């Protein structure tokens, strides 16, 4: 697969992401006379990646960027450290999904009549504050004007940590202060190695948000993986059965 990629490293601090280092680095550049062009398309693509998908802290982010400098995928280093799924397998899936234009890590799943099923591999973790700490997947079903049935089949990883999964509409509040968020349309929970399913009937094309979180009362910080198979069955006559 390496033949599809050119690899390079870019320091986040050089781009100004680390606030405490901005002034020292600026002085260093002035002293050495080596400016860093943050307007370059590669730098701009990386900086866009900071604001896309998961916002959780990570010392290293991996990005897949097209020859036209379009962001194709994002993978955080901290989310490779998952017992039960090898780093090699996880990272290979990330690269493969990026090449297939599935936009892994960018937080959006788009289903259409020609593309009715999508899989998402991600992680959830025990909340450090509040009851929930969401990993969010945006599900775009706007092309199904007549409505239909959304099905999410969830497989929870083998590591420690129970998982909670809630479905929201596009404008629903992902509250962290409620054990069961009031804006959730439906939801489920499970233990390691469990399989669960969420189904929801919708009357018109719209966007949803799937929020995955670890259980708040684990007694220790846990990070576990989940695989979500997201599919839709369109209602042909516009009336949800």
């Amino acid at each position: 697969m390496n033949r599809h990629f050119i690899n390079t490293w870019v320091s986040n601090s050089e781009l100004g992401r680390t606030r405490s280092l901005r002034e020292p680095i600026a002085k260093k550049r002035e002293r050495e006379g080596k400016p860093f062009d943050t307007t370059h398309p590669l730098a701009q693509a990386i900086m866009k990646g900071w604001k896309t998908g998961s916002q959780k802290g990570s010392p290293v982010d991996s990005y897949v960027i097209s020859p036209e400098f379009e962001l194709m995928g994002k993978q955080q280093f901290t989310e490779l450290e998952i017992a039960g799924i090898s780093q090699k397998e996880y990272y290979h899936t990330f690269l493969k999904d990026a090449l297939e234009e599935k936009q892994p890590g960018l937080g959006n799943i788009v289903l259409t009549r020609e593309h009715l099923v999508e899989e998402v591999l991600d992680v959830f973790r025990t909340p450090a504050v509040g009851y929930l700490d969401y990993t969010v997947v945006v599900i775009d079903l706007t092309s199904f004007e007549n409505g239909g049935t959304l099905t999410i089949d969830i497989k929870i990883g083998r590591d420690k940590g129970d998982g909670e999964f809630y479905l929201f509409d596009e404008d629903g509040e992902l509250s962290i202060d409620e054990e069961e968020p009031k804006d959730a349309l439906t939801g489920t929970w499970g233990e390691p190695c469990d399989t669960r399913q969420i189904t929801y009937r919708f009357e018109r094309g719209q966007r949803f948000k799937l929020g995955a979180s670890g259980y708040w009362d684990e007694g220790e910080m846990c990070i576990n993986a989940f695989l979500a198979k997201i599919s839709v069955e369109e209602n042909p006559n516009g009336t949800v059965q």
Side-chain angles (χ1 to χ4, degrees):
M1 181 173 281
N2 283 339
R3 68 181 183 275
H4 296 292
F5 298 94
I6 298 174
N7 299 312
T8 189
W9 286 87
V10 178
S11 170
N12 280 330
S13 59
E14 290 287 348
L15 294 177
R17 188 177 190 181
T18 308
R19 188 181 300 273
S20 62
L21 295 178
R22 289 176 184 172
E23 184 175 348
I25 288 176
K27 290 181 178 179
K28 178 184 176 183
R29 290 176 185 162
E30 183 178 355
R31 184 172 62 252
E32 297 178 352
K34 296 180 179 179
F36 193 95
D37 184 9
T38 58
T39 65
H40 189 280
L42 176 60
Q44 288 293 305
I46 294 170
M47 294 165 75
K48 178 181 178 181
W50 298 347
K51 304 174 183 178
T52 305
S54 175
Q55 304 294 303
K56 296 171 182 174
S58 178
V60 178
D61 297 322
S62 294
Y63 297 109
V64 176
I65 300 171
S66 75
E68 294 77 26
F69 299 105
E70 293 293 329
L71 192 60
M72 299 174 65
K74 172 182 178 179
Q75 175 63 59
Q76 294 184 306
F77 174 78
T78 51
E79 296 185 353
L80 288 173
E81 299 292 326
I82 306 167
I85 296 180
S86 72
Q87 291 186 358
K88 181 179 179 181
E89 177 186 359
Y90 197 106
Y91 196 68
H92 184 271
T93 299
F94 160 65
L95 295 178
K96 182 173 179 289
D97 286 350
L99 290 180
E100 293 177 358
E101 300 183 359
K102 295 181 179 179
Q103 299 185 328
L106 302 186
N108 295 313
I109 296 297
V110 180
L111 297 184
T112 65
R113 293 176 181 85
E114 294 75 31
H115 185 68
L116 295 171
V117 181
E118 183 69 88
E119 289 189 347
V120 176
L121 178 64
D122 214 319
V123 299
F124 58 80
R125 65 192 69 214
T126 306
V129 178
Y131 291 107
L132 296 159
D133 180 7
Y134 298 99
T135 294
V136 180
V137 179
V138 177
I139 305 169
D140 187 334
L141 304 180
T142 53
S143 65
F144 298 94
E145 298 176 356
N146 292 332
T149 301
L150 169 64
T151 301
I152 306 174
D153 293 297
I154 301 166
K155 183 176 181 180
I156 301 175
R158 298 192 297 269
D159 203 1
K160 291 182 179 179
D162 298 350
E164 301 182 53
F165 305 89
Y166 296 100
L167 185 69
F168 301 83
D169 65 26
E170 184 177 16
D171 299 321
E173 179 186 358
L174 279 68
S175 171
I176 66 171
D177 299 321
E178 303 165 302
E179 288 193 58
E180 296 185 8
K182 65 178 184 299
D183 279 4
L185 302 171
T186 184
T188 188
W189 72 276
E191 300 176 346
C193 298
D194 280 351
T195 57
R196 292 290 185 265
Q197 186 179 82
I198 290 175
T199 59
Y200 186 77
R201 295 177 178 177
F202 58 101
E203 297 181 355
R204 56 179 176 78
Q206 64 182 100
R207 294 182 181 88
F208 296 93
K209 294 180 291 191
L210 173 66
S213 175
Y215 180 55
W216 67 274
D217 194 22
E218 290 286 1
E220 60 179 324
M221 173 58 69
C222 299
I223 300 175
N224 203 353
F226 70 94
L227 178 67
K229 180 181 178 182
I230 302 169
S231 60
V232 62
E233 182 177 352
E234 184 178 19
N235 182 33
N237 57 18
T239 303
V240 177
Q241 301 296 321

